[in-house]
Amino acid sequence: MKILVTGGTGYIGSHTVVELQQKGYQVVVIDNLSNSNEAVLDNISKITGIRPDFECFDLIERERTLDFFSRNSDITGVIHFAAFKAVGESVAEPLKYYRNNLVSLMNILEGMQLNKVPFLVFSSSCTVYGQPEELPVSETSPIQKAFSPYGNTKQISEEIIGDFLETSDVKCIALRYFNPIGAHESSLIGELPLGIPNNLVPFITQTAIGLRSQLKVFGNDYNTPDGTPIRDYIHVVDLAKAHVIAIERMTNGNNKKALEVFNLGTGNGQTVLEVIKSFEKVSGEKLNYVIVERRAGDVEKVWADTRFANAELGWKAAMSLDEMTLSAWNWEKAIANK
Ligand code: NAD
Ligand code: UFG
């Protein structure tokens, strides 16, 4: 079975390509390398023995995208990761985010429709819940006004898909990720943030390796046990495996609605200081950090109710916080040694 993975040289996409190949799927990747590089394909092939087919172009180019689908009519499913994801940048450059994330999605949907590609897995985010009133947050919790244009692209994307499915035979599973961290156990693929990382774990590992002088912890006056915000951190390989299960669910005809939505988290919330403590424990490094003001736009606490995903997908995140921070550290050391 042939699966198109858009954004397949990116962080979550590359780990998903590995899981798909290891389950016997043939994979073709489209990526414009705007936030990744082609060497990732070589590293995937070092893990799996297979270099995925690759086409480098921008999915906002409608003709190129439709041409791709017409040349690849044997595709069974699409896993659509390709998007811009930096929250702060989306505030500064909203049109860049709306154009990239929404136009590429519409081109993909059109290509699927024209070429009768039946199954789509879409990368959504727990950002659609904002600060939930009840925790853990379940898939039926209300969608809140988006905190950023990036978050809004995920909300609008889910709506576009919902409307599109009313008029089409395509089936879709939208996966709302909580906070993916960590790297593949081989340390051959992982997260490669360009420039200064926005996210906590890459900032921790880059500080420990000496690329950054100090981690800033954004606020310790939240209503949480140690005052720092709570997130549901999930290992990227656990997340990747859920995509394969989502494809299997649809190809086996087990999906119950045209559009199904699942939370992908562990169900546990951890504070920023707990993540730092875990990192210090597994790495043996003392982290240089300082508490500073809150970061604008951060929610206080969010973690997933995973019961629906656990029951319906037969999937459960397996890796502990220590395994996540250790794999992130091993990856940081591996790239530093290159
Ligand atoms: P990433 O930036 O590592 O990967 C995205 C890939 O898509 C990159 O390789 C980039 O070059 C490519 N891309 C972007 N726009 C493209 C376009 N127009 N045409 C072709 N290729 C394009 O990001 P990631 O962390 O792997 O995220 C994957 C998906 O998951 C995104 O949709 C993101 O919004 C979503 N998501 C990520 C997180 C997270 O914390 N990492 C959380 C929730 C949701
Ligand atoms: N944090 C720090 N210092 C840093 C970076 C982060 O203290 O240098 C804190 C943040 O304040 C937050 C926690 O670490 O409390 C996690 O922050 P991240 O930036 O790693 O993750 P977010 O929860 O803010 O956002 C992530 C993705 C978004 C996505 C969201 C929900 O970056 O794209 O998860 O899926 F929308």
Side-chain angles (χ1 to χ4, degrees):
M1 225 179 261
K2 186 163 155 186
I3 305 294
L4 164 62
V5 179
T6 75
T9 47
Y11 175 43
I12 309 170
S14 57
H15 290 82
T16 302
V17 171
V18 166
E19 295 303 315
L20 285 166
Q21 289 183 326
Q22 288 178 336
K23 284 270 181 172
Y25 290 92
Q26 187 191 344
V27 176
V28 53
V29 168
I30 298 175
D31 202 298
N32 65 356
L33 304 177
S34 57
N35 197 34
S36 55
N37 66 70
E38 203 171 341
V40 170
L41 298 168
D42 298 327
N43 290 334
I44 289 173
S45 71
K46 283 183 196 152
I47 300 171
T48 63
I50 308 160
R51 198 175 199 275
D53 293 338
F54 176 58
E55 297 207 16
C56 182
F57 67 89
D58 194 324
L59 288 157
I60 69 171
E61 291 181 42
R62 179 168 172 271
E63 300 309 325
R64 294 273 312 251
T65 307
L66 296 186
D67 172 64
F68 170 87
F69 276 98
S70 66
R71 285 185 287 108
N72 291 272
S73 54
D74 53 343
I75 287 175
T76 305
V78 179
I79 307 183
H80 182 42
F81 292 105
F84 292 152
K85 62 165 183 175
V87 175
E89 186 185 57
S90 80
V91 176
E93 295 181 76
L95 296 184
K96 177 176 167 179
Y97 275 68
Y98 287 116
R99 184 175 298 112
N100 193 59
N101 295 2
L102 300 181
V103 174
S104 59
L105 171 67
M106 290 188 284
N107 290 340
I108 295 274
L109 294 176
E110 189 177 358
M112 292 179 71
Q113 170 100 314
L114 289 172
N115 295 281
K116 301 194 172 15
V117 178
F119 305 122
L120 171 68
V121 179
F122 176 70
S123 295
S124 190
S125 167
C126 72
T127 192
V128 302
Y129 300 120
Q131 176 57 66
E133 279 169 20
E134 282 178 26
L135 287 165
V137 63
S138 79
E139 290 83 351
T140 53
S141 301
I143 301 294
Q144 309 250 21
K145 182 173 165 31
F147 273 54
S148 67
Y150 164 73
N152 208 18
T153 68
K154 293 299 175 191
Q155 296 189 359
I156 297 170
S157 293
E158 288 193 14
E159 287 175 6
I160 290 174
I161 292 169
D163 289 344
F164 168 76
L165 296 186
E166 297 283 330
T167 65
S168 122
D169 294 328
V170 173
K171 305 280 181 282
C172 175
I173 292 181
L175 299 173
R176 291 179 180 158
Y177 314 152
F178 282 66
N179 285 55
I181 60 169
H184 193 263
E185 60 177 357
S186 63
S187 300
L188 284 164
I189 53 171
E191 191 169 9
L192 270 176
L194 294 180
I196 301 172
N198 292 305
N199 295 112
L200 178 63
V201 171
F203 211 109
I204 289 176
T205 55
Q206 288 197 6
T207 304
I209 208 98
L211 290 173
R212 313 275 154 216
S213 57
Q214 189 176 51
L215 171 78
K216 293 186 174 71
V217 173
F218 298 128
N220 68 348
D221 57 351
Y222 288 94
N223 182 23
T224 63
D226 62 26
T228 61
I230 296 178
R231 297 287 183 275
D232 185 336
Y233 296 92
I234 175 168
H235 196 286
V236 66
V237 172
D238 279 332
L239 196 74
K241 288 181 198 292
H243 293 74
V244 182
I245 293 171
I247 287 285
E248 283 167 354
R249 179 176 174 87
M250 292 188 285
T251 54
N252 292 336
N254 292 334
N255 49 310
K256 295 183 177 153
K257 289 194 293 185
L259 173 59
E260 294 185 309
V261 178
F262 294 101
N263 282 346
L264 295 186
T266 63
N268 302 312
Q270 268 111 9
T271 67
V272 174
L273 293 180
E274 283 168 343
V275 176
I276 293 173
K277 278 195 198 102
S278 163
F279 171 79
E280 290 186 327
K281 184 173 88 182
V282 300
S283 67
E285 301 284 327
K286 185 89 192 78
L287 193 73
N288 182 16
Y289 68 89
V290 62
I291 310 283
V292 299
E293 292 296 293
R294 291 181 177 200
R295 180 171 72 177
D298 273 347
V299 300
E300 182 169 83
K301 45 191 162 189
V302 60
W303 64 94
D305 182 337
T306 60
R307 285 174 298 177
F308 187 57
N310 298 158
E312 283 293 319
L313 299 178
W315 165 91
K316 202 171 183 351
M319 281 188 254
S320 67
L321 180 62
D322 288 350
E323 288 171 300
M324 300 184 217
T325 52
L326 179 60
S327 68
W329 179 231
N330 288 339
W331 164 243
E332 188 69 63
K333 288 190 292 185
I335 46 180
N337 286 333
K338 276 196 182 135

